[in-house]
Each structure stands twice: as C-alpha cells, then as structure tokens.
Amino acid sequence: MNTLRFKRWNFTSDLAPSAVLSLKNECGIYVLEFSNGEQYVGQTIHFPIRLAKHRRTYPDIIAINFAEVPEDNLNMAEYSEIQRRRRSGILLRNKTLLAQPLGDSPLDDLIDQQEQAAWLDVAATDDEEIHIGGRAEVARGRTLSNKKFDQLQQQPSFEEAINSLAAYVAYVIPYPHLTEKKTWTVTAMPSTNRTSTDKRVATLSVNNVEMMYLRLVRDYENGDWTPLTILNVADTYQAPPYMRDYVYSHSYRSAGPVKVVSIMGDFLIKELLMDDAILLAARELALGQMRKGTTMFSKYHNEALSDAIFKRIDQWIDDNSGLY
C-alpha cells in the first residue's frame, strides 16, 4: 500500500478540535503524538468527533496527524501504518490482540483480527463503532411469544434491565448481530441459584462464562426486592479508590481470574460502561472469551429478549442518544 500523506497540526488536549481542524473529508487515518514520544494510530470516518473523545482520555497530546483514506480502505491502511511505525522504532499506545488467546479463532471468520484489535482501542461510547446490521429490522418484523420474557416484562425494573443489556451488547460485543447465539447468549428470568430471597432477572454469557447478570434481592424485613448489578471484567482493571468497595476478585475455570463489579440499588450496566477503564476491561474479557469459540448455551438463548435488546440499541442510534 502507498505511504499515506499526513497533514500535521500542533495540538493540546485542552483545545477543541474545531479550533484547529478544517477538513472537507473527515474519513481517514490519524496519528496522535504524545509528550513522552509515544504515538497512537487509529481510523475514523469522523476525525473531529473521534479527536474530541481522545483528548478526554489522553491529557498529554502535543500534535495530531491526519490522512484522507476512503472508508473501504481504512482497515488495511490502519494496519499498514501501525506496522510501518513499529518497524521504525516508534512506541505506540495501540493495544493489540496479544493478550487474547493466540492462534486462529473461529471469530476471525466473522470479524477480521484488525477489527478485533481496534475494538480494544476505540474511544469509549463511540457511537460510530456500533454495527448491528439489519438485526433491529428483524426484531421489529416479528412478535415472539416466550414465557420467560413475558415474566421479565412484568418486573418493575424491566426498562432498566433492557437498558443495561442493550448497553452491554452495543458497547462491549463487537458486531453483535454476527455473533449472536454463536459466541454470546442472553437469558430471561433464569433459575440459576434462585432462592426465595434472590432471583436473577437476566444473564448475558460470552462463550461459556457469565459476563453480566442482573439480580433482585429480597429484604427480610419488608419483603421489597432490590436490584443488584453484577459485571465481570478483565483482571487488569484497577479500581480507583471510590470504586474499591464495589469490586472484588473471582476466578472461572475457563476464563481464569476476573474482577467483579457488584452494586446494589439499581441495574447500572449502562452507567458503569461510561467509565473508559471499565468499558475497556469488559471488552478485553469478552473478546478473549469470544476468541475461544462457540458457546454451549445457544439452546438457552432467549430471542424475544434479544429482539428487545436490538430494538433498544436501534432506538439509541436513531435518537443519537447512546449511553448519554
């Protein structure tokens, strides 16, 4: 591939992109330069929007570079530029798939490896990265009858549960319409570990590991049911002081050690994923499990609930509201 022709601007993270950039074509490859000499290579179809999010993540940007590239060529151009700069000895902040299960994966047939690697780099809650194909149209075109889903709809916390599940599917699972039932599944009102004072509302699993589940816990004195959010993320997550009371370590046979975020009071997956560190740790764990192959839980997948999830994501996209 031909060497890209970049235009360079001096830039600091306290500047608004509009104060520096004036682009006719915002689609292309960009390079961020940092004060310690490191760089970051990325692709985007809307560079000013992407830069606005990066400047909140990286306070030490000193310059930006941008080269126009057609959308169809972005993946190869980004890959080539990353390799070119690495060969020249430049230290890049880009994450790769090196932390994921090595070798080929069935997931590579659905999602290109570079797309998977980019999923670990993309700015948190970047709506342009959500791809659900025509899955919402499929959901709107049918009405599925399901006893478990009907029970879920009767719960007073139904809307919050759908928001939490939709946020996870949209922002943690890459191309969820391609990987549904293959690498991830969702269940409604599962009987797992149910007692008279503790019941699950919904569980989302990737491969064969529960990534998140929503519970209702009953108070012994007044009998009220209180929502409880459980979110598993990669063990690399380092909780800041204000989160340490809500995070503990756990281990799964197939996933190894993880960090568990547990918060009582509401279903808060949507709010938790606003935190860049939590979102990226959730993606790291989920992608690692997706690369291990297909799930054994396909027969338990609740398509009525999944339809509701994709319709909610599509609503966010149409309203341009996302997580915010």
Side-chain angles (χ1 to χ4, degrees), residues 32-75:
L32 309 181
E33 299 179 27
F34 303 102
S35 57
N36 65 353
E38 294 178 345
Q39 297 182 5
Y40 177 100
V41 179
Q43 62 166 281
T44 181
I45 59 174
H46 297 299
F47 182 46
I49 294 176
R50 178 64 57 79
L51 179 60
K53 294 180 179 181
H54 276 316
R55 73 187 183 97
R56 295 198 299 268
T57 304
Y58 301 116
D60 55 339
I61 299 173
I62 60 170
I64 55 178
N65 305 260
F66 182 75
E68 293 183 9
V69 173
E71 185 173 356
D72 291 345
N73 297 338
L74 285 175
N75 290 338

mmCIF file of all heavy atoms in Angstrom, residues 32-75:
data_model
loop_
_atom_site.group_PDB
_atom_site.id
_atom_site.type_symbol
_atom_site.label_atom_id
_atom_site.label_comp_id
_atom_site.label_asym_id
_atom_site.label_seq_id
_atom_site.Cartn_x
_atom_site.Cartn_y
_atom_site.Cartn_z
ATOM 1 N N LEU A 32 -1.930 10.351 16.754
ATOM 2 C CA LEU A 32 -1.756 11.253 17.878
ATOM 3 C C LEU A 32 -0.308 11.177 18.351
ATOM 4 O O LEU A 32 0.253 10.082 18.451
ATOM 5 C CB LEU A 32 -2.680 10.869 19.040
ATOM 6 C CG LEU A 32 -4.165 10.671 18.730
ATOM 7 C CD1 LEU A 32 -4.912 10.316 20.025
ATOM 8 C CD2 LEU A 32 -4.774 11.901 18.089
ATOM 9 N N GLU A 33 0.302 12.313 18.630
ATOM 10 C CA GLU A 33 1.649 12.363 19.189
ATOM 11 C C GLU A 33 1.561 12.819 20.641
ATOM 12 O O GLU A 33 0.808 13.741 20.964
ATOM 13 C CB GLU A 33 2.532 13.326 18.403
ATOM 14 C CG GLU A 33 2.722 12.956 16.944
ATOM 15 C CD GLU A 33 3.583 13.966 16.204
ATOM 16 O OE1 GLU A 33 4.421 14.630 16.862
ATOM 17 O OE2 GLU A 33 3.398 14.120 14.981
ATOM 18 N N PHE A 34 2.334 12.156 21.519
ATOM 19 C CA PHE A 34 2.278 12.451 22.945
ATOM 20 C C PHE A 34 3.592 13.043 23.437
ATOM 21 O O PHE A 34 4.645 12.868 22.806
ATOM 22 C CB PHE A 34 1.927 11.187 23.738
ATOM 23 C CG PHE A 34 0.636 10.549 23.308
ATOM 24 C CD1 PHE A 34 0.636 9.424 22.493
ATOM 25 C CD2 PHE A 34 -0.578 11.082 23.698
ATOM 26 C CE1 PHE A 34 -0.551 8.832 22.084
ATOM 27 C CE2 PHE A 34 -1.773 10.500 23.299
ATOM 28 C CZ PHE A 34 -1.760 9.375 22.487
ATOM 29 N N SER A 35 3.544 13.695 24.577
ATOM 30 C CA SER A 35 4.706 14.410 25.093
ATOM 31 C C SER A 35 5.881 13.499 25.439
ATOM 32 O O SER A 35 7.022 13.937 25.460
ATOM 33 C CB SER A 35 4.314 15.226 26.337
ATOM 34 O OG SER A 35 3.756 14.389 27.336
ATOM 35 N N ASN A 36 5.621 12.204 25.692
ATOM 36 C CA ASN A 36 6.714 11.276 26.017
ATOM 37 C C ASN A 36 7.282 10.588 24.785
ATOM 38 O O ASN A 36 8.092 9.672 24.898
ATOM 39 C CB ASN A 36 6.246 10.226 27.023
ATOM 40 C CG ASN A 36 5.175 9.301 26.463
ATOM 41 O OD1 ASN A 36 4.664 9.516 25.351
ATOM 42 N ND2 ASN A 36 4.816 8.272 27.216
ATOM 43 N N GLY A 37 6.852 11.002 23.586
ATOM 44 C CA GLY A 37 7.374 10.430 22.352
ATOM 45 C C GLY A 37 6.548 9.297 21.784
ATOM 46 O O GLY A 37 6.786 8.870 20.648
ATOM 47 N N GLU A 38 5.577 8.789 22.539
ATOM 48 C CA GLU A 38 4.717 7.723 22.037
ATOM 49 C C GLU A 38 3.710 8.279 21.038
ATOM 50 O O GLU A 38 3.459 9.490 20.979
ATOM 51 C CB GLU A 38 3.985 7.039 23.192
ATOM 52 C CG GLU A 38 4.897 6.292 24.147
ATOM 53 C CD GLU A 38 4.146 5.671 25.305
ATOM 54 O OE1 GLU A 38 2.964 6.040 25.531
ATOM 55 O OE2 GLU A 38 4.726 4.828 25.999
ATOM 56 N N GLN A 39 3.115 7.363 20.272
ATOM 57 C CA GLN A 39 2.106 7.753 19.295
ATOM 58 C C GLN A 39 0.935 6.770 19.355
ATOM 59 O O GLN A 39 1.025 5.709 19.978
ATOM 60 C CB GLN A 39 2.698 7.780 17.875
ATOM 61 C CG GLN A 39 3.793 8.801 17.687
ATOM 62 C CD GLN A 39 4.323 8.841 16.268
ATOM 63 O OE1 GLN A 39 3.816 8.161 15.368
ATOM 64 N NE2 GLN A 39 5.349 9.663 16.044
ATOM 65 N N TYR A 40 -0.138 7.155 18.721
ATOM 66 C CA TYR A 40 -1.330 6.306 18.630
ATOM 67 C C TYR A 40 -1.875 6.434 17.220
ATOM 68 O O TYR A 40 -2.091 7.541 16.726
ATOM 69 C CB TYR A 40 -2.385 6.764 19.642
ATOM 70 C CG TYR A 40 -3.692 5.999 19.594
ATOM 71 C CD1 TYR A 40 -3.971 4.994 20.505
ATOM 72 C CD2 TYR A 40 -4.659 6.295 18.627
ATOM 73 C CE1 TYR A 40 -5.176 4.299 20.462
ATOM 74 C CE2 TYR A 40 -5.862 5.610 18.574
ATOM 75 C CZ TYR A 40 -6.112 4.615 19.493
ATOM 76 O OH TYR A 40 -7.293 3.934 19.440
ATOM 77 N N VAL A 41 -2.096 5.285 16.561
ATOM 78 C CA VAL A 41 -2.626 5.257 15.196
ATOM 79 C C VAL A 41 -4.063 4.749 15.243
ATOM 80 O O VAL A 41 -4.357 3.745 15.903
ATOM 81 C CB VAL A 41 -1.779 4.343 14.290
ATOM 82 C CG1 VAL A 41 -2.366 4.303 12.869
ATOM 83 C CG2 VAL A 41 -0.327 4.813 14.254
ATOM 84 N N GLY A 42 -4.960 5.432 14.548
ATOM 85 C CA GLY A 42 -6.348 4.994 14.526
ATOM 86 C C GLY A 42 -7.016 5.309 13.203
ATOM 87 O O GLY A 42 -6.449 5.996 12.349
ATOM 88 N N GLN A 43 -8.219 4.797 13.048
ATOM 89 C CA GLN A 43 -9.028 5.073 11.867
ATOM 90 C C GLN A 43 -10.360 5.657 12.304
ATOM 91 O O GLN A 43 -10.842 5.387 13.411
ATOM 92 C CB GLN A 43 -9.276 3.808 11.041
ATOM 93 C CG GLN A 43 -10.043 2.724 11.791
ATOM 94 C CD GLN A 43 -10.563 1.634 10.875
ATOM 95 O OE1 GLN A 43 -11.575 1.807 10.211
ATOM 96 N NE2 GLN A 43 -9.862 0.499 10.862
ATOM 97 N N THR A 44 -10.989 6.438 11.446
ATOM 98 C CA THR A 44 -12.262 7.044 11.780
ATOM 99 C C THR A 44 -12.949 7.534 10.519
ATOM 100 O O THR A 44 -12.286 7.805 9.511
ATOM 101 C CB THR A 44 -12.069 8.225 12.750
ATOM 102 O OG1 THR A 44 -13.345 8.783 13.073
ATOM 103 C CG2 THR A 44 -11.205 9.312 12.127
ATOM 104 N N ILE A 45 -14.263 7.632 10.583
ATOM 105 C CA ILE A 45 -14.980 8.268 9.481
ATOM 106 C C ILE A 45 -15.337 9.717 9.834
ATOM 107 O O ILE A 45 -15.779 10.472 8.978
ATOM 108 C CB ILE A 45 -16.251 7.480 9.096
ATOM 109 C CG1 ILE A 45 -17.205 7.364 10.271
ATOM 110 C CG2 ILE A 45 -15.880 6.104 8.555
ATOM 111 C CD1 ILE A 45 -18.544 6.727 9.910
ATOM 112 N N HIS A 46 -15.128 10.085 11.125
ATOM 113 C CA HIS A 46 -15.385 11.461 11.572
ATOM 114 C C HIS A 46 -14.262 11.862 12.524
ATOM 115 O O HIS A 46 -14.400 11.730 13.743
ATOM 116 C CB HIS A 46 -16.743 11.584 12.271
ATOM 117 C CG HIS A 46 -17.920 11.274 11.405
ATOM 118 N ND1 HIS A 46 -18.216 11.987 10.260
ATOM 119 C CD2 HIS A 46 -18.868 10.306 11.505
ATOM 120 C CE1 HIS A 46 -19.303 11.477 9.708
ATOM 121 N NE2 HIS A 46 -19.709 10.465 10.435
ATOM 122 N N PHE A 47 -13.156 12.340 11.976
ATOM 123 C CA PHE A 47 -11.989 12.617 12.804
ATOM 124 C C PHE A 47 -12.249 13.626 13.922
ATOM 125 O O PHE A 47 -11.826 13.409 15.062
ATOM 126 C CB PHE A 47 -10.814 13.065 11.925
ATOM 127 C CG PHE A 47 -9.554 13.321 12.703
ATOM 128 C CD1 PHE A 47 -9.111 12.427 13.662
ATOM 129 C CD2 PHE A 47 -8.810 14.478 12.478
ATOM 130 C CE1 PHE A 47 -7.942 12.659 14.385
ATOM 131 C CE2 PHE A 47 -7.646 14.723 13.193
ATOM 132 C CZ PHE A 47 -7.219 13.817 14.152
ATOM 133 N N PRO A 48 -12.926 14.757 13.692
ATOM 134 C CA PRO A 48 -13.143 15.698 14.794
ATOM 135 C C PRO A 48 -13.894 15.079 15.977
ATOM 136 O O PRO A 48 -13.581 15.358 17.135
ATOM 137 C CB PRO A 48 -13.952 16.824 14.136
ATOM 138 C CG PRO A 48 -13.567 16.770 12.695
ATOM 139 C CD PRO A 48 -13.412 15.307 12.396
ATOM 140 N N ILE A 49 -14.882 14.227 15.677
ATOM 141 C CA ILE A 49 -15.631 13.573 16.752
ATOM 142 C C ILE A 49 -14.724 12.631 17.527
ATOM 143 O O ILE A 49 -14.723 12.601 18.761
ATOM 144 C CB ILE A 49 -16.845 12.820 16.179
ATOM 145 C CG1 ILE A 49 -17.848 13.801 15.577
ATOM 146 C CG2 ILE A 49 -17.519 11.974 17.266
ATOM 147 C CD1 ILE A 49 -19.023 13.135 14.895
ATOM 148 N N ARG A 50 -13.925 11.839 16.800
ATOM 149 C CA ARG A 50 -13.007 10.907 17.462
ATOM 150 C C ARG A 50 -11.982 11.664 18.299
ATOM 151 O O ARG A 50 -11.669 11.290 19.428
ATOM 152 C CB ARG A 50 -12.319 10.037 16.410
ATOM 153 C CG ARG A 50 -11.304 9.051 16.976
ATOM 154 C CD ARG A 50 -11.929 8.015 17.880
ATOM 155 N NE ARG A 50 -12.968 7.273 17.213
ATOM 156 C CZ ARG A 50 -12.752 6.263 16.360
ATOM 157 N NH1 ARG A 50 -11.523 5.900 16.060
ATOM 158 N NH2 ARG A 50 -13.762 5.630 15.802
ATOM 159 N N LEU A 51 -11.444 12.750 17.752
ATOM 160 C CA LEU A 51 -10.429 13.522 18.468
ATOM 161 C C LEU A 51 -11.001 14.129 19.744
ATOM 162 O O LEU A 51 -10.327 14.184 20.773
ATOM 163 C CB LEU A 51 -9.857 14.605 17.560
ATOM 164 C CG LEU A 51 -8.794 15.515 18.173
ATOM 165 C CD1 LEU A 51 -7.589 14.693 18.642
ATOM 166 C CD2 LEU A 51 -8.354 16.581 17.170
ATOM 167 N N ALA A 52 -12.248 14.577 19.682
ATOM 168 C CA ALA A 52 -12.872 15.162 20.868
ATOM 169 C C ALA A 52 -12.927 14.164 22.012
ATOM 170 O O ALA A 52 -12.787 14.530 23.189
ATOM 171 C CB ALA A 52 -14.274 15.652 20.521
ATOM 172 N N LYS A 53 -13.094 12.893 21.707
ATOM 173 C CA LYS A 53 -13.138 11.865 22.740
ATOM 174 C C LYS A 53 -11.735 11.479 23.193
ATOM 175 O O LYS A 53 -11.493 11.255 24.375
ATOM 176 C CB LYS A 53 -13.919 10.659 22.231
ATOM 177 C CG LYS A 53 -15.381 11.012 21.999
ATOM 178 C CD LYS A 53 -16.201 9.851 21.483
ATOM 179 C CE LYS A 53 -17.651 10.290 21.296
ATOM 180 N NZ LYS A 53 -18.511 9.202 20.821
ATOM 181 N N HIS A 54 -10.798 11.407 22.256
ATOM 182 C CA HIS A 54 -9.424 11.069 22.626
ATOM 183 C C HIS A 54 -8.812 12.122 23.545
ATOM 184 O O HIS A 54 -8.021 11.801 24.429
ATOM 185 C CB HIS A 54 -8.558 10.933 21.368
ATOM 186 C CG HIS A 54 -8.646 9.582 20.726
ATOM 187 N ND1 HIS A 54 -8.606 8.402 21.438
ATOM 188 C CD2 HIS A 54 -8.748 9.218 19.419
ATOM 189 C CE1 HIS A 54 -8.682 7.379 20.610
ATOM 190 N NE2 HIS A 54 -8.781 7.845 19.378
ATOM 191 N N ARG A 55 -9.145 13.368 23.344
ATOM 192 C CA ARG A 55 -8.499 14.415 24.161
ATOM 193 C C ARG A 55 -8.953 14.336 25.616
ATOM 194 O O ARG A 55 -8.257 14.838 26.508
ATOM 195 C CB ARG A 55 -8.764 15.800 23.563
ATOM 196 C CG ARG A 55 -10.164 16.350 23.735
ATOM 197 C CD ARG A 55 -10.336 17.644 22.944
ATOM 198 N NE ARG A 55 -11.662 18.233 23.142
ATOM 199 C CZ ARG A 55 -11.918 19.207 24.004
ATOM 200 N NH1 ARG A 55 -10.941 19.697 24.744
ATOM 201 N NH2 ARG A 55 -13.139 19.697 24.126
ATOM 202 N N ARG A 56 -10.112 13.714 25.866
ATOM 203 C CA ARG A 56 -10.536 13.497 27.246
ATOM 204 C C ARG A 56 -9.791 12.318 27.868
ATOM 205 O O ARG A 56 -9.601 12.264 29.074
ATOM 206 C CB ARG A 56 -12.047 13.247 27.302
ATOM 207 C CG ARG A 56 -12.880 14.434 26.867
ATOM 208 C CD ARG A 56 -14.321 14.310 27.358
ATOM 209 N NE ARG A 56 -14.997 13.139 26.832
ATOM 210 C CZ ARG A 56 -15.722 13.138 25.712
ATOM 211 N NH1 ARG A 56 -15.840 14.252 25.006
ATOM 212 N NH2 ARG A 56 -16.336 12.043 25.298
ATOM 213 N N THR A 57 -9.389 11.359 27.023
ATOM 214 C CA THR A 57 -8.667 10.179 27.510
ATOM 215 C C THR A 57 -7.189 10.459 27.694
ATOM 216 O O THR A 57 -6.567 9.967 28.637
ATOM 217 C CB THR A 57 -8.860 9.015 26.520
ATOM 218 O OG1 THR A 57 -10.248 8.766 26.346
ATOM 219 C CG2 THR A 57 -8.184 7.750 27.028
ATOM 220 N N TYR A 58 -6.613 11.223 26.774
ATOM 221 C CA TYR A 58 -5.172 11.475 26.779
ATOM 222 C C TYR A 58 -4.898 12.955 27.030
ATOM 223 O O TYR A 58 -5.062 13.784 26.126
ATOM 224 C CB TYR A 58 -4.556 11.060 25.443
ATOM 225 C CG TYR A 58 -4.759 9.609 25.084
ATOM 226 C CD1 TYR A 58 -5.506 9.242 23.961
ATOM 227 C CD2 TYR A 58 -4.211 8.595 25.859
ATOM 228 C CE1 TYR A 58 -5.687 7.911 23.619
ATOM 229 C CE2 TYR A 58 -4.381 7.264 25.535
ATOM 230 C CZ TYR A 58 -5.130 6.934 24.413
ATOM 231 O OH TYR A 58 -5.305 5.620 24.085
ATOM 232 N N PRO A 59 -4.440 13.324 28.232
ATOM 233 C CA PRO A 59 -4.170 14.731 28.523
ATOM 234 C C PRO A 59 -2.834 15.231 27.985
ATOM 235 O O PRO A 59 -2.540 16.423 28.075
ATOM 236 C CB PRO A 59 -4.170 14.762 30.054
ATOM 237 C CG PRO A 59 -3.715 13.390 30.453
ATOM 238 C CD PRO A 59 -4.298 12.461 29.415
ATOM 239 N N ASP A 60 -2.002 14.324 27.420
ATOM 240 C CA ASP A 60 -0.641 14.691 27.019
ATOM 241 C C ASP A 60 -0.439 14.733 25.505
ATOM 242 O O ASP A 60 0.680 14.566 25.009
ATOM 243 C CB ASP A 60 0.366 13.728 27.644
ATOM 244 C CG ASP A 60 0.084 12.262 27.323
ATOM 245 O OD1 ASP A 60 -1.073 11.943 26.969
ATOM 246 O OD2 ASP A 60 1.007 11.438 27.427
ATOM 247 N N ILE A 61 -1.500 14.964 24.737
ATOM 248 C CA ILE A 61 -1.362 15.099 23.286
ATOM 249 C C ILE A 61 -0.620 16.405 22.971
ATOM 250 O O ILE A 61 -0.921 17.455 23.548
ATOM 251 C CB ILE A 61 -2.742 15.103 22.598
ATOM 252 C CG1 ILE A 61 -3.483 13.791 22.857
ATOM 253 C CG2 ILE A 61 -2.589 15.335 21.094
ATOM 254 C CD1 ILE A 61 -4.923 13.793 22.345
ATOM 255 N N ILE A 62 0.353 16.329 22.043
ATOM 256 C CA ILE A 62 1.076 17.543 21.631
ATOM 257 C C ILE A 62 0.891 17.846 20.139
ATOM 258 O O ILE A 62 1.140 18.969 19.704
ATOM 259 C CB ILE A 62 2.581 17.449 21.945
ATOM 260 C CG1 ILE A 62 3.219 16.265 21.214
ATOM 261 C CG2 ILE A 62 2.808 17.358 23.453
ATOM 262 C CD1 ILE A 62 4.741 16.254 21.283
ATOM 263 N N ALA A 63 0.468 16.844 19.365
ATOM 264 C CA ALA A 63 0.266 17.071 17.934
ATOM 265 C C ALA A 63 -0.647 15.991 17.369
ATOM 266 O O ALA A 63 -0.764 14.895 17.935
ATOM 267 C CB ALA A 63 1.594 17.070 17.180
ATOM 268 N N ILE A 64 -1.304 16.321 16.264
ATOM 269 C CA ILE A 64 -2.174 15.374 15.578
ATOM 270 C C ILE A 64 -1.819 15.336 14.098
ATOM 271 O O ILE A 64 -1.339 16.332 13.528
ATOM 272 C CB ILE A 64 -3.660 15.750 15.745
ATOM 273 C CG1 ILE A 64 -3.913 17.192 15.283
ATOM 274 C CG2 ILE A 64 -4.103 15.550 17.187
ATOM 275 C CD1 ILE A 64 -5.367 17.629 15.363
ATOM 276 N N ASN A 65 -2.028 14.181 13.479
ATOM 277 C CA ASN A 65 -1.769 13.988 12.061
ATOM 278 C C ASN A 65 -2.980 13.331 11.440
ATOM 279 O O ASN A 65 -3.610 12.464 12.060
ATOM 280 C CB ASN A 65 -0.544 13.095 11.837
ATOM 281 C CG ASN A 65 0.698 13.599 12.540
ATOM 282 O OD1 ASN A 65 1.552 14.219 11.936
ATOM 283 N ND2 ASN A 65 0.811 13.328 13.840
ATOM 284 N N PHE A 66 -3.294 13.684 10.209
ATOM 285 C CA PHE A 66 -4.464 13.099 9.555
ATOM 286 C C PHE A 66 -4.201 12.936 8.066
ATOM 287 O O PHE A 66 -3.641 13.819 7.412
ATOM 288 C CB PHE A 66 -5.695 13.977 9.750
ATOM 289 C CG PHE A 66 -6.947 13.418 9.136
ATOM 290 C CD1 PHE A 66 -7.617 12.361 9.730
ATOM 291 C CD2 PHE A 66 -7.442 13.939 7.947
ATOM 292 C CE1 PHE A 66 -8.761 11.835 9.158
ATOM 293 C CE2 PHE A 66 -8.589 13.423 7.364
ATOM 294 C CZ PHE A 66 -9.255 12.359 7.975
ATOM 295 N N ALA A 67 -4.603 11.768 7.530
ATOM 296 C CA ALA A 67 -4.506 11.498 6.097
ATOM 297 C C ALA A 67 -5.850 10.986 5.611
ATOM 298 O O ALA A 67 -6.422 10.064 6.206
ATOM 299 C CB ALA A 67 -3.414 10.459 5.808
ATOM 300 N N GLU A 68 -6.347 11.561 4.552
ATOM 301 C CA GLU A 68 -7.627 11.125 3.994
ATOM 302 C C GLU A 68 -7.476 9.732 3.378
ATOM 303 O O GLU A 68 -6.528 9.472 2.639
ATOM 304 C CB GLU A 68 -8.104 12.102 2.923
ATOM 305 C CG GLU A 68 -8.467 13.471 3.451
ATOM 306 C CD GLU A 68 -8.994 14.385 2.355
ATOM 307 O OE1 GLU A 68 -9.226 13.885 1.231
ATOM 308 O OE2 GLU A 68 -9.166 15.589 2.616
ATOM 309 N N VAL A 69 -8.437 8.857 3.711
ATOM 310 C CA VAL A 69 -8.452 7.496 3.169
ATOM 311 C C VAL A 69 -9.910 7.104 2.944
ATOM 312 O O VAL A 69 -10.751 7.338 3.818
ATOM 313 C CB VAL A 69 -7.788 6.490 4.142
ATOM 314 C CG1 VAL A 69 -7.952 5.059 3.645
ATOM 315 C CG2 VAL A 69 -6.312 6.821 4.338
ATOM 316 N N PRO A 70 -10.251 6.511 1.802
ATOM 317 C CA PRO A 70 -11.630 6.059 1.578
ATOM 318 C C PRO A 70 -12.045 5.045 2.637
ATOM 319 O O PRO A 70 -11.222 4.254 3.109
ATOM 320 C CB PRO A 70 -11.575 5.420 0.184
ATOM 321 C CG PRO A 70 -10.384 6.050 -0.473
ATOM 322 C CD PRO A 70 -9.394 6.299 0.612
ATOM 323 N N GLU A 71 -13.326 5.059 2.990
ATOM 324 C CA GLU A 71 -13.808 4.193 4.065
ATOM 325 C C GLU A 71 -13.512 2.724 3.808
ATOM 326 O O GLU A 71 -13.165 1.979 4.736
ATOM 327 C CB GLU A 71 -15.315 4.406 4.260
ATOM 328 C CG GLU A 71 -15.888 3.650 5.437
ATOM 329 C CD GLU A 71 -17.339 3.997 5.709
ATOM 330 O OE1 GLU A 71 -17.874 4.892 5.021
ATOM 331 O OE2 GLU A 71 -17.942 3.370 6.606
ATOM 332 N N ASP A 72 -13.616 2.275 2.569
ATOM 333 C CA ASP A 72 -13.378 0.865 2.249
ATOM 334 C C ASP A 72 -11.932 0.448 2.477
ATOM 335 O O ASP A 72 -11.640 -0.757 2.582
ATOM 336 C CB ASP A 72 -13.766 0.575 0.797
ATOM 337 C CG ASP A 72 -15.268 0.643 0.569
ATOM 338 O OD1 ASP A 72 -16.015 0.624 1.572
ATOM 339 O OD2 ASP A 72 -15.691 0.731 -0.601
ATOM 340 N N ASN A 73 -11.021 1.407 2.529
ATOM 341 C CA ASN A 73 -9.595 1.090 2.667
ATOM 342 C C ASN A 73 -9.058 1.315 4.078
ATOM 343 O O ASN A 73 -7.858 1.161 4.316
ATOM 344 C CB ASN A 73 -8.769 1.934 1.683
ATOM 345 C CG ASN A 73 -9.101 1.636 0.237
ATOM 346 O OD1 ASN A 73 -9.624 0.569 -0.085
ATOM 347 N ND2 ASN A 73 -8.824 2.580 -0.645
ATOM 348 N N LEU A 74 -9.931 1.693 5.005
ATOM 349 C CA LEU A 74 -9.462 2.078 6.334
ATOM 350 C C LEU A 74 -8.743 0.955 7.072
ATOM 351 O O LEU A 74 -7.689 1.176 7.681
ATOM 352 C CB LEU A 74 -10.636 2.587 7.175
ATOM 353 C CG LEU A 74 -11.164 3.974 6.841
ATOM 354 C CD1 LEU A 74 -12.408 4.286 7.676
ATOM 355 C CD2 LEU A 74 -10.100 5.036 7.069
ATOM 356 N N ASN A 75 -9.295 -0.250 7.044
ATOM 357 C CA ASN A 75 -8.694 -1.344 7.814
ATOM 358 C C ASN A 75 -7.266 -1.622 7.372
ATOM 359 O O ASN A 75 -6.346 -1.711 8.193
ATOM 360 C CB ASN A 75 -9.540 -2.614 7.687
ATOM 361 C CG ASN A 75 -10.865 -2.508 8.421
ATOM 362 O OD1 ASN A 75 -11.012 -1.706 9.329
ATOM 363 N ND2 ASN A 75 -11.828 -3.309 8.012
#
